[in-house]
Amino acid sequence: MSRMTPFASPLLLGFDAMEKTLERISKASDGYPPYNIERIAAGHGAPERLRITLAVAGFSEEELDVTIEENQLLIRGRQVEQGEHEYLYRGIAARQFQRTFVLADGMQVLGASLRNGLLAVDLVRPEPARMVKKINISVSQ
């Protein structure tokens, strides 16, 4: 029995990459680190933005890496053990993470900031120019 995919319609052409991306996202369900995504309204000449905020307590700026690879925003954290410690109890683990967000075409990362254990990454999508293109019809005889 074959499963029906959202992009199985013959009217949707060229969406196979998007379907693979959706499958990859559905498999990645690790909840660490927790994050918020918020919409920041346009104002004072600035366009509407999105802000992704990750709780990265214990990570320094040098231990965090924010990159864009193709259409994916990758946020990685690698904590380095600081010398020898004798723990009586260790509830805070030095844990690595990688969080991936798939960006729509045209999305741009404005910047990232770290404050009080929260990493904020701001994104914007510029309004695309509306374009109509006339296609000539050739007649063969």
Side-chain angles (χ1 to χ4, degrees):
M1 180 177 186
S2 64
R3 67 182 179 100
M4 189 69 166
T5 65
F7 300 102
S9 170
L11 301 176
L12 297 173
L13 303 175
F15 286 93
D16 50 331
M18 185 178 294
E19 185 173 12
K20 289 177 186 174
T21 300
L22 290 173
E23 287 177 11
R24 186 175 55 236
I25 290 170
S26 67
K27 292 177 184 175
S29 61
D30 182 21
Y32 181 78
Y35 65 94
N36 293 335
I37 300 175
E38 62 184 304
R39 185 184 322 268
I40 301 171
H44 304 300
E48 179 180 85
R49 297 179 315 198
L50 296 178
R51 176 173 290 157
I52 301 169
T53 305
L54 287 90
V56 293
F59 286 86
S60 68
E61 178 185 357
E62 295 80 28
E63 296 169 328
L64 295 169
D65 188 36
V66 180
T67 58
I68 298 176
E69 294 179 16
E70 295 180 16
N71 65 334
Q72 295 185 9
L73 173 65
L74 296 168
I75 303 172
R76 295 182 181 101
R78 293 181 187 86
Q79 283 185 323
V80 180
E81 287 290 328
Q82 298 293 328
E84 290 294 319
H85 294 281
E86 182 180 343
Y87 292 101
L88 299 177
Y89 172 79
R90 186 164 186 186
I92 303 172
R95 183 173 173 186
Q96 296 185 29
F97 71 87
Q98 177 173 312
R99 177 67 72 181
T100 304
F101 298 91
V102 179
L103 303 178
D105 289 339
M107 292 292 291
Q108 298 174 352
V109 176
L110 295 176
S113 61
L114 180 63
R115 183 175 180 208
N116 297 330
L118 297 174
L119 176 66
V121 180
D122 287 343
L123 305 129
V124 67
R125 178 184 7 217
E127 188 65 32
R130 301 286 179 207
M131 191 170 112
V132 176
K133 183 177 179 182
K134 175 120 173 94
I135 308 298
N136 292 326
I137 302 172
S138 61
V139 178
S140 59
Q141 295 179 9

